[in-house]
Amino acid sequence: MSGGLTRRRSYSEELELLAATFTQFRSLRIDNLDRWVNAARGLPAIFVASGGALAAARFGADLHERVTGCLSKAVTPLELSGMRVRSNTAVLMLSASGRHPDAWMAARVAVANGYDIAALLTFRRASDLPEPLKRIDLDVISLPFIPGREGFLATSSVLALATVLARTYLPVSTGLPEMLDLLKQRLEIVLGPKCVALVGPGHASAGFDLETRMSELGICQVQVTDYRNFAHGRHSGFNRNLKSTSVVAFIAEPFRELADVTLEEFPSSCEIARVETAMDWPASALDLLVGSMQIAGSTAIASGIEPARPRVPEFGRRLYHLKAHLPEMSKAIWPVQRKIVACGGALANEDLQAAYSAALREWFEKSVKEVAIGGIVLDYDGTCCATERRYELPLEEVREELIRLLNEGCALAFASGRGKSLHRDLRRWLPKEHWDQVILGLYNGGVILRLGEDVPDQSKCEGELAQAADRVLASHLASGLRVERRSCQVSIEGSSTVWKGGQALAAAVAEILWRAPRLQLNIVASGHSVDIVPPSSSKTAVVDVMRGHVRRSVAAIGDQGQIGGNDFELLASTTLSLTVDRCSADPTRCWNLDALGTSGPKVLMNYLRSFGLSGGDLLFRWDVVSGI
């Protein structure tokens, strides 16, 4: 990470740059960080970091809990590797450069555990990341470079990460102050060989930061605890070391009174440093974080150490660059792990792992291997193209593979919640000579036709579908929704600032439709929206039409194969079904065979390349043992 300077600054000079860093990041908007935060609302969250960035991760966890009301935790990459939590969890990894092997480990674990939303927050562009990270299908959130070049202790990068998280979590109307109070002054506090850091709720990140800096410099042993936990026995050990122990009290509202009455009880001989802020939370947490950085500087300099350039032992350098030696997950385990996640299990459950491993082999031998395929039914958004790029044409490589299959006599079908827009895009994308080979199941199978046929008028919305649209628009949710009426479907898209995704929106819409008198309609969710359809509309109808057309086995590929996902019925309708993302728990179908940590069109490309002619039959060739 570099701001363009080759000379390393002193720690004191780095502290001088903190004001510019805060100014740069206090109002910075990063679109894909906004998307991650909005998608993570309503989910528990894990913030992952190492070293100095762990304080920013702790602050991020505090923000998530305060703003969303959902549990959150800050962990190291190694801690993440040992966690067994459900997949409906958001993960944000914080790494200044992404160059450390621990960051690669965290990314690999996040993808392997199937977490719903996983992203890397870094100061590097995705194209500049190391190859091990590039190979993992992870959302990369790139921040602009910070001013100057950091030394041994991270300063501006920690404040920048914490500041941009605060800005993103706060409502636009609230915002952060123009400047932090402690950036207008310099604390000259020198600590002794031992220290107790007292913190209040929402401000533990400052204590974490001080402990990290003092431990990395080796000039002070810091114990971090909150004001009340200190009263439960720690005072005894503190009293035995009173002469050699300082107290740093991080003080902010609304726990100022608690801090005052606590500190009044300390012996008069005790050395107490009060680090105070009058700012409102979360600016108060950022302010105290700056205070911790300043204390580290004054204590180190008093000890004759330049914090930006301490002498690092050679074994320490070797430890830092040591690649994490974790039990290697074989490629064949990845599909099994995804099934286990889908049924709420954990990788550590050996019986479940063995059962799914056997089921994978049985499924492939009986339902896939040497099965002649006549046609393939594909979901579109999230499968052929990434969800966030659903209004762009898919990759040229996907087009080339599909045309190859058409030329080899394979029939294709697309089953999608979209309508005329997909019909128009596919006509632009696929050669006209193949249009009669392509079946479209538009509006979740409500309209089935050949690509060469025109889409019938869908403007007339009647009956229960019209009632459903009226109910939603008359509800308390209406202001945050966009509702589109069609003859065979009502589509609903929620504001990204309110709804974390289609699943949460589907649950809210279901409550509206299923109250008395209940409307006999189905609700299907994608990664971004919800469709309300009559019971007669289903993507399985597209599979049935394809079977009647080809008189052979039909393969199905989608991305939302879990219960409630808009591809669940599609991928449950045939045993030869694959997913490029979420799968069901059913061991007889709907497998995600990817072993590289990717999803969406990247996985689809590998699947499509595995379909090929053999003795006149179209077969799917895949090695389920090695995962390739």
Side-chain angles (χ1 to χ4, degrees), residues 122 201 204 231 261 275 326 388 460 505 528 610:
T122 180
V261 297
V275 183
L326 295 176
E388 63 273 14
K460 196 173 184 179
L505 181 56
H528 65 283
S610 298

Side-chain angles (χ1 to χ4, degrees), residues 42-46 71 80 82-91 109-118 337-349 352 356 500 582 585:
L43 292 177
I46 303 172
L71 287 174
L80 181 71
M83 294 178 71
R84 293 292 178 262
V85 300
R86 292 187 181 274
S87 59
N88 58 337
T89 301
V91 175
V109 168
V111 173
N113 285 353
Y115 295 127
D116 273 1
I117 307 157
Q337 168 65 355
R338 292 188 181 96
K339 282 290 188 183
I340 293 172
V341 167
C343 73
L347 186 60
N349 188 322
L352 200 56
Y356 269 118
K500 70 179 182 67
R582 302 286 298 279

Side-chain angles (χ1 to χ4, degrees), residues 66 200-203 227 250-260:
R66 289 281 193 97
H203 299 99
Y227 285 96
F250 291 101
I251 303 172
E253 298 294 350
F255 298 97
R256 183 179 302 276
E257 183 178 353
L258 173 62
D260 289 340

